[in-house]
Amino acid sequence: MKTLTATILGLNSDASQALKLDIEAAIPHGFVLEWVTLSDKTVDVMFINHHFLDSKSIQNYLQQHPDVHYLCLEYNATLAGKILDNQLYYPFENSTDLTAWLRLKFVHIAPKVQHIPLNLSKYIEEMLVARNSFLRLYQHSEDLAIIDTRTERVFVQPSLSIQQFFSPNLEQSYAKSSRVNAAQGYFVIADLKIWLWELLYPARAAFSAQELMPYHCYRLVQWPQFSPSKERKLLLKMAALFARGAEIEYVMRKANCSAQQVKEFIYLTQLLGMSEQIPNQEARFLVHNVEQESTSMGIFQGLFGKLRRKLGM
């Protein structure tokens, strides 16, 4: 069993205690919840009264602990149990939205994907074209997700599995307004690119990415949201370098990673419109520049050494 640490902020003790029981009932199988305070230890997930989210102390804590996931709490009996734009509405007794949200954030099981369906990349490209309005992702007439291409949001069926997403039977078409309305009332809402990254990254080895030349340069135009994992530190290093424009070989050296790891990162960020190839002269980090700086520093240190010996220093 995996333990998740959590805390509730900004509610009175009675409301907080009642909500804890409801949240515990929504925990995915294989997890147990431990309630803590911020002074005890770093938490995995925070439930914050929406009136307190912008307070200085909470904002400072979130900036100092970027790995922490959080939901804002707002009282709304009509929307009880729903999650909309990172807002969890209470009171509720059985929230499928919360269960799906927790599973999405904390259940990191690499899908057993041997081959990526040929049409999947095409579907993703269509999802990122704003003029496509609403798209319907389905399998055997069952709606799995509704994509709002204009706002880059997705309404996901709570029970959607990794296997369904990578199934060769997956289909996509334009969505009628009736399906869109039905999905908005039942499906879980998420940021489209964050949702796609969290689905695609664990299956990255199955993609047939083209070979990249070590001297090619890329720039990150939008940061993916990296979930807590053993690769997160490496991903953050690569993202930080590519954010300013970097040569592939430079990133491999500086982040101490393989060509395959960089290729997978570039392929997925390109697929999701998060990075772009740039001319070498626009890149901030180049191996050639580092070698030149090292050579210049060596010459300078040599001259300085000779000067010290002449002056008897």
Side-chain angles (χ1 to χ4, degrees):
M1 298 287 282
K2 181 177 178 181
T3 300
L4 292 179
T5 54
T7 190
I8 294 179
L9 302 173
L11 297 183
N12 63 51
S13 57
D14 290 340
S16 179
Q17 192 58 40
L19 195 56
K20 283 180 180 180
L21 297 175
D22 297 327
I23 293 172
E24 288 170 1
I27 295 298
H29 178 71
F31 288 81
V32 292
L33 203 59
E34 178 187 355
W35 294 104
V36 298
T37 63
L38 295 187
S39 59
D40 289 336
K41 59 176 77 173
T42 301
V43 299
D44 295 313
V45 58
M46 299 168 64
F47 298 92
I48 308 167
N49 185 323
H50 70 287
H51 291 300
F52 292 83
L53 179 62
D54 294 328
S55 68
K56 186 176 180 180
S57 59
I58 289 178
Q59 285 301 310
N60 285 342
Y61 187 88
L62 292 174
Q63 289 173 11
Q64 294 167 12
H65 302 84
D67 292 345
V68 176
H69 297 286
Y70 71 89
L71 285 171
C72 293
L73 298 171
E74 182 172 347
Y75 185 89
N76 187 316
T78 304
L79 296 174
K82 294 292 180 186
I83 294 178
L84 301 173
D85 294 327
N86 222 46
Q87 201 100 336
L88 171 61
Y89 296 95
Y90 73 98
F92 58 84
E93 292 182 359
N94 183 17
S95 174
T96 55
D97 278 22
L98 180 56
T99 301
W101 185 87
L102 290 167
R103 187 183 295 116
L104 186 66
K105 298 299 181 183
F106 296 104
V107 181
H108 305 292
I109 302 173
K112 297 178 180 178
V113 179
Q114 302 299 326
H115 301 286
I116 300 297
L118 294 176
N119 55 1
L120 184 57
S121 295
K122 178 176 177 291
Y123 290 164
I124 293 171
E125 290 175 8
E126 292 173 349
M127 293 177 192
L128 301 176
V129 177
R131 66 173 179 271
N132 284 334
S133 190
F134 288 98
L135 296 174
R136 172 195 178 210
L137 202 63
Y138 63 97
Q139 183 180 14
H140 304 309
S141 75
E142 178 188 10
D143 287 342
L144 302 178
I146 299 293
I147 296 92
D148 183 348
T149 64
R150 290 171 297 187
T151 62
E152 292 192 348
R153 296 187 303 170
V154 58
F155 299 88
V156 187
Q157 186 197 101
S159 61
L160 172 66
S161 69
I162 294 292
Q163 286 71 27
Q164 285 177 306
F165 184 78
F166 288 102
S167 168
N169 297 318
L170 188 71
E171 296 184 75
Q172 182 167 278
S173 65
Y174 291 106
K176 295 181 178 179
S177 58
S178 58
R179 292 187 179 276
V180 174
N181 294 334
Q184 290 176 337
Y186 172 66
F187 286 12
V188 181
I189 190 170
D191 178 278
L192 176 61
K193 289 184 178 180
I194 292 175
W195 175 70
L196 286 172
W197 177 275
E198 291 178 339
L199 285 169
L200 297 173
Y201 184 75
R204 61 197 179 279
F207 283 87
S208 299
Q210 64 179 17
E211 289 299 321
L212 302 176
M213 296 296 103
Y215 54 82
H216 283 170
C217 296
Y218 291 85
R219 177 167 49 221
L220 196 66
V221 295
Q222 181 179 348
W223 280 61
Q225 183 170 309
F226 306 121
S227 299
S229 66
K230 62 181 181 180
E231 298 97 356
R232 189 174 190 275
K233 187 174 181 180
L234 174 61
L235 291 170
L236 286 170
K237 284 183 180 179
M238 288 195 289
L241 293 168
F242 281 123
R244 300 184 66 182
E247 186 179 18
I248 285 177
E249 187 175 353
Y250 182 95
V251 173
M252 289 167 57
R253 293 187 188 186
K254 197 71 175 176
N256 192 26
C257 59
S258 68
Q260 180 65 23
Q261 288 171 314
V262 176
K263 183 175 77 170
E264 292 167 352
F265 181 86
I266 290 297
Y267 177 79
L268 288 183
T269 54
Q270 289 255 281
L271 180 63
L272 300 180
M274 293 178 165
S275 68
E276 60 184 1
Q277 187 171 1
I278 59 173
N280 288 39
Q281 58 266 30
E282 292 185 20
R284 171 66 178 83
F285 299 116
L286 296 168
V287 171
H288 178 66
N289 290 350
V290 174
E291 291 174 346
Q292 279 189 329
E293 290 172 5
S294 299
T295 302
S296 300
M297 183 60 71
I299 294 172
F300 176 77
Q301 288 175 340
L303 290 172
F304 186 68
K306 289 179 181 178
L307 180 62
R308 287 181 64 184
R309 285 193 293 274
K310 276 188 177 183
L311 298 175
M313 296 171 63

